[in-house]
Amino acid sequence: MISNNKIFKNYNAINILIAIFLLLLFYYKLYLENDIPILSDELNSILVYSTNYKTLFLKNFPGNVSFYHLIGYIKSIIFGYELLSYRSISFLFVLLILWILKKLNYRESKILIFFSVLILSNFTLTLGWYAGYNFTTTIFGLIFLLLKNNQNEKNNKNIFLLLFVQFYNHLVNIYLIIPILITLFFYSKKIKFVKEFSLFFLLPSCIFYILSIFLTGLAVLKVEQVNFMYIFSFVEQNFKDIILIGFDRIFFYEVIKAADELNLVSTTKNLYNFDKIISIVIGLCLILSIYDFIKKKSIFSFIILLHFLTFIIFDKQPPARIFTSFGIFYLLVLFDFAENKFEKILKLKIFRIFSLLLLITVIINFNFKDKIDTSLYGKDISYKENEISIKILNQNCELNNINFSELQKRNYYFNYLNICQKDFNLTEFLKYYRS
């Protein structure tokens, strides 16, 4: 007779093989099935923030997710500037999400359903290119895991550190950061909370934002050179302006100041049109949070209800795309609320087979090109610019500016690095870009 131990090993081996197959298939569908030229946002992320340590902590635009771009910068040093390798960084967070779900002791069927929902949502819209949304939403997933297993406040320090990462990476994360901090305060010992909050959130936030205010002020004033002697002299003459301009640019960016007052009906419509899956998940989260708050008052019902309250307090109309960053947190909360309701169904062998077939079907039918071409990011794909750059550079490997648009110049320089096998040079790039 075959021992139970051998059956268990065979079962685990089959699960691992299925997981590898699904991950490879998903990777192919995201990055290899279609040839998608570099996006405008990717050009900014790579050329401005991921190729030089002097610009890594710059915050002249909200799109610089510094710690995510730090990974890209390290990649640039080791593996160069090839586009697929930048985009593949986003896929690392798929693996991290899988690890989070395993740490939460999700059954196989639960993991399969979770990923099916994610792929059907706009999570995949940014997963296929070099974007910080996936980094941000996965970090919120890690925070959920730590909150879920935070007996005796053992994870508070790590939660504060991750909240600092989120706060520094993008100010819009404050919509979820504030509710988590307030909830932790009520669930923690107050003196201990204040000490750990100050050391692991407030202090690093101040240090990194002071650095970014300084760098951003320099960038907005458009320094002509980036060598240290010139910068030192420039700072001596313009220190006050650098600080004031840098602070205003980061915390009072024109898009934030110009935002309309909150309109709940308009926000709901915009979100539903942008991502029907996430909008449904958010709606269910809100309903179940109200119910849970009345019955149990769990930490997650507090967070979700405070989260919606922050939108009302700030009274700013949020763009629908920011909810992509909160997506995994919402989904984990929803699964947590439903944890004991479907346990018997999840155990059924027939449901595991159904969940597997569902995910395979979702992945096979997934077409990244169709998804991004019909999205708000479709206009940012540099199809025409890419053709022009490759044609010119294949004939002559020189930096040219034939009355190029800004997008064409950035696309041309990126292709120049790869086709001509050049190293990124910040001074050279700024001179060319400003020509």
Side-chain angles (χ1 to χ4, degrees), residues 160-310:
F160 289 137
L161 276 175
L162 290 176
L163 288 174
F164 145 67
V165 169
Q166 298 291 64
F167 178 56
Y168 180 69
N169 270 337
H170 208 306
L171 279 176
V172 79
N173 292 329
I174 202 76
Y175 282 113
L176 190 50
I177 292 169
I178 288 176
I180 293 172
L181 286 174
I182 292 173
T183 306
L184 268 181
F185 177 77
F186 282 110
Y187 274 80
S188 303
K189 296 173 183 175
K190 304 305 178 281
I191 296 177
K192 184 174 182 289
F193 174 93
V194 171
K195 287 181 179 178
E196 292 178 345
F197 167 79
S198 300
L199 187 60
F200 295 98
F201 178 85
L202 191 59
L203 180 61
S205 295
C206 290
I207 291 171
F208 276 83
Y209 266 117
I210 287 170
L211 172 63
S212 289
I213 287 168
F214 177 76
L215 293 174
T216 301
L218 286 173
V220 174
L221 289 171
K222 294 185 177 179
V223 290
E224 296 177 2
Q225 301 177 38
V226 293
N227 66 75
F228 285 108
M229 291 305 297
Y230 177 85
I231 294 294
F232 182 78
S233 175
F234 188 87
V235 169
E236 270 193 318
Q237 299 172 36
N238 302 278
F239 182 77
K240 184 179 179 181
D241 287 340
I242 290 169
I243 300 302
L244 291 175
I245 290 171
F247 185 88
D248 182 71
R249 182 70 174 185
I250 293 173
F251 296 103
F252 299 97
Y253 183 62
E254 52 261 32
V255 175
I256 299 172
K257 289 191 288 188
D260 295 330
E261 292 180 358
L262 178 67
N263 184 310
L264 289 174
V265 175
S266 177
T267 298
T268 304
K269 286 181 179 178
N270 291 340
L271 177 59
Y272 185 76
N273 291 330
F274 177 71
D275 194 334
K276 293 176 176 59
I277 299 295
I278 290 298
S279 62
I280 292 169
V281 170
I282 291 172
L284 289 172
C285 266
L286 182 57
I287 293 168
L288 292 173
S289 293
I290 294 170
Y291 175 80
D292 183 83
F293 181 76
I294 295 170
K295 293 289 184 179
K296 299 179 183 177
K297 294 181 174 57
S298 75
I299 189 170
F300 295 114
S301 61
F302 270 100
I303 291 171
I304 293 297
L305 293 174
L306 285 172
H307 176 56
F308 283 94
L309 185 60
T310 57

